[in-house]
Amino acid sequence: EGLIFKIEDWHSRVNLYKIYHRIFYSEKSSKEHGTLCANFNKMKCTNAKKGPHAAFNAYKEAVHKDTCALFIAAAMDYFKMDNIEGEHKDLIPQNIRDGTKEEQRSWLHNKVGDIVDTYILNTESSNMEEFYNGVHQASQPKQRELHPCRAPDCERVFRYPKARITHELNVHGLEAPETDQDGESEDKSEPSTKPSPCDYKKEHTEARLSFGMLLENMNDAVKEGDGERLLRLYRVALLYFKTYGHTQYAYSTLLMLVQVSSIFSPQKAHSLTWNRFWNTKGGKGKNDSLDLHVEHKNAFLKENLKGLGPNLTEQSADRISKSIGFLGQVLENTDEELEVVRPSGYHHKANTTQDIHSLVEVARETELFKFKANRAFNSYPNFNKNLFARLKYNSMWEWIKSKLKLWNKKYP
């Protein structure tokens, strides 16, 4: 009592990377150029191939390179660029080159928005709108279909089709067409339309880019300490958690969104939104998730407990765990006084430009963003770009409704 439990961001992002890995990674696709596994082989990311559960940092970095390469390839297709090297003077109009910084920034933002709309939101927005409308319709009370009498000037309305047929025959002398047992016309056939050809390679690539941009957005929101943007992104993460069986994270995410919007007071809601980050050294764009900071503390605690060796007892473990914060501060102060330089938590990484450029060339050679009918990766035949397709509207609404009833009793 008195404690407020909340979902944390680092563990949530790890689970989203697991879902990403489950959808887009397959060892069978290692020889198919343009797939995630083939790109990992291209960059020689052996640690990343172990998956986010075993090598999260390596996997996160490899996915970052892959997403950057896909976005650059999409931008090159949008601007009709043949190569990534050299100076493209015709790309930016002369009046923008000679304009102010604000005009140049506005032009760039508009073009980036057009690229996102063309290659990411072209069907993503329609899928989200369809899902919203489906859940909204499922939330409405069910109404029985009414059947008005088909005779002129008759205002009778019937609940059942057979009752209407009997009335029309006995009162108006109308003979109904041949019907089935439910009283519906047997001829329900509609003119068949030939399905439009699909390019499953292109849809697979755009879906991977869309999911990768979501992950990049969440990572950037954490770095910038932008709690409000992070909560907006959790609305999309909720659908991924629910669709792919991460029920506990779906529950916690929905509870957090409901707490912020209706349960908590404005003060607590503000704290839940913004009190999610930790900045060790200060500065913009250098925040970490609180739960990752706790994991670092746990590692420091285990290191000290391991040093006790055979002297480890329940009492000594309790004493060290309660003093771990003060112990860390003492060590930092001692190192500062003795001018001992401790290794930073940031590790300088090799230049990623070469890896990204090599993936861009792969995407351009395979023409992943060019529509070609009836092509697909052998490992992903008939790939559905709508990653929420397996989520049923009725079950989603019933799940939300059951949780709202539960929390209504728990949080009066």
Side-chain angles (χ1 to χ4, degrees), residues 101-198:
K101 292 293 184 182
E102 289 297 328
E103 293 174 344
Q104 294 175 355
R105 185 181 297 111
S106 177
W107 180 88
L108 177 61
H109 288 178
N110 290 335
K111 292 300 180 182
V112 171
D114 290 341
I115 296 172
V116 172
D117 291 340
T118 303
Y119 298 95
I120 298 177
L121 297 181
N122 53 352
T123 58
E124 197 75 14
S125 57
S126 61
N127 292 337
M128 296 295 291
E129 184 178 358
E130 178 184 352
F131 183 82
Y132 170 80
N133 293 333
V135 174
H136 178 72
Q137 184 177 359
S139 66
Q140 302 302 313
K142 295 183 179 180
Q143 297 181 354
R144 184 184 296 273
E145 182 181 0
L146 299 178
H147 304 274
C149 178
R150 289 170 287 192
D153 302 328
C154 184
E155 298 180 355
R156 291 287 301 275
V157 179
F158 301 88
R159 290 187 176 181
Y160 303 101
K162 284 188 175 182
R164 178 179 66 173
I165 294 172
T166 303
H167 164 79
E168 292 174 346
L169 181 62
N170 295 337
V171 177
H172 304 288
L174 297 177
E175 293 185 2
E178 293 184 1
T179 56
D180 56 14
Q181 295 180 355
D182 295 330
E184 298 293 339
S185 175
E186 288 183 349
D187 186 14
K188 298 180 181 179
S189 61
E190 297 181 356
S192 59
T193 58
K194 187 177 180 180
S196 58
C198 295

Side-chain angles (χ1 to χ4, degrees), residues 10-258:
W10 184 76
H11 287 86
S12 298
R13 285 182 289 148
V14 170
N15 272 268
L16 284 175
Y17 275 99
K18 289 180 180 179
I19 296 174
Y20 179 93
H21 183 77
R22 173 181 170 182
I23 298 174
F24 298 110
Y25 185 85
S26 173
E27 290 287 351
K28 298 178 181 179
S29 65
S30 60
K31 295 183 180 180
E32 297 187 79
H33 297 296
T35 62
L36 184 65
C37 183
N39 286 351
F40 283 2
N41 291 337
K42 181 76 173 178
M43 296 183 293
K44 300 180 180 180
C45 300
T46 55
N47 286 335
K49 295 178 67 175
K50 299 176 183 177
H53 56 285
F56 176 71
N57 290 332
Y59 190 86
K60 176 183 173 184
E61 181 182 357
V63 170
H64 170 72
K65 294 178 182 179
D66 180 75
T67 304
C68 290
L70 290 180
F71 189 84
I72 293 174
M76 292 177 65
D77 183 76
Y78 176 83
F79 288 112
K80 304 296 188 293
M81 296 170 56
D82 296 328
N83 59 79
I84 197 173
E85 301 293 342
E87 184 178 359
H88 302 273
K89 295 183 178 180
D90 298 335
L91 185 64
I92 304 176
Q94 189 61 40
N95 63 318
I96 300 298
R97 291 175 177 270
D98 299 334
T100 62
K101 292 293 184 182
E102 289 297 328
E103 293 174 344
Q104 294 175 355
R105 185 181 297 111
S106 177
W107 180 88
L108 177 61
H109 288 178
N110 290 335
K111 292 300 180 182
V112 171
D114 290 341
I115 296 172
V116 172
D117 291 340
T118 303
Y119 298 95
I120 298 177
L121 297 181
N122 53 352
T123 58
E124 197 75 14
S125 57
S126 61
N127 292 337
M128 296 295 291
E129 184 178 358
E130 178 184 352
F131 183 82
Y132 170 80
N133 293 333
V135 174
H136 178 72
Q137 184 177 359
S139 66
Q140 302 302 313
K142 295 183 179 180
Q143 297 181 354
R144 184 184 296 273
E145 182 181 0
L146 299 178
H147 304 274
C149 178
R150 289 170 287 192
D153 302 328
C154 184
E155 298 180 355
R156 291 287 301 275
V157 179
F158 301 88
R159 290 187 176 181
Y160 303 101
K162 284 188 175 182
R164 178 179 66 173
I165 294 172
T166 303
H167 164 79
E168 292 174 346
L169 181 62
N170 295 337
V171 177
H172 304 288
L174 297 177
E175 293 185 2
E178 293 184 1
T179 56
D180 56 14
Q181 295 180 355
D182 295 330
E184 298 293 339
S185 175
E186 288 183 349
D187 186 14
K188 298 180 181 179
S189 61
E190 297 181 356
S192 59
T193 58
K194 187 177 180 180
S196 58
C198 295
D199 184 355
Y200 295 110
K201 273 191 178 183
K202 183 173 182 290
E203 293 193 359
H204 179 275
T205 304
E206 290 178 349
R208 196 165 92 232
L209 175 60
S210 175
F211 202 156
M213 292 297 290
L214 172 66
L215 297 174
E216 291 295 316
N217 205 350
M218 293 193 75
N219 293 333
D220 183 70
V222 171
K223 287 182 179 180
E224 298 296 335
D226 193 344
E228 187 175 359
R229 171 163 49 125
L230 195 59
L231 288 190
R232 291 199 303 269
L233 296 173
Y234 265 118
R235 297 175 186 271
V236 183
L238 169 63
L239 300 180
Y240 281 108
F241 291 144
K242 185 62 178 174
T243 303
Y244 294 95
H246 294 247
T247 54
Q248 297 299 324
Y249 279 86
Y251 175 93
S252 301
T253 302
L254 180 62
L255 176 58
M256 177 184 63
L257 296 175
V258 173

Side-chain angles (χ1 to χ4, degrees), residues 278-282 286 288 293 332:
W278 175 269
N279 196 323
T280 306
K281 298 182 178 179
K286 296 182 180 180
D288 279 328
H293 176 65
E332 290 181 6

Side-chain angles (χ1 to χ4, degrees), residues 273-288:
T273 302
W274 298 100
N275 189 21
R276 318 181 62 85
F277 313 104
W278 175 269
N279 196 323
T280 306
K281 298 182 178 179
K284 296 180 180 180
K286 296 182 180 180
N287 294 285
D288 279 328

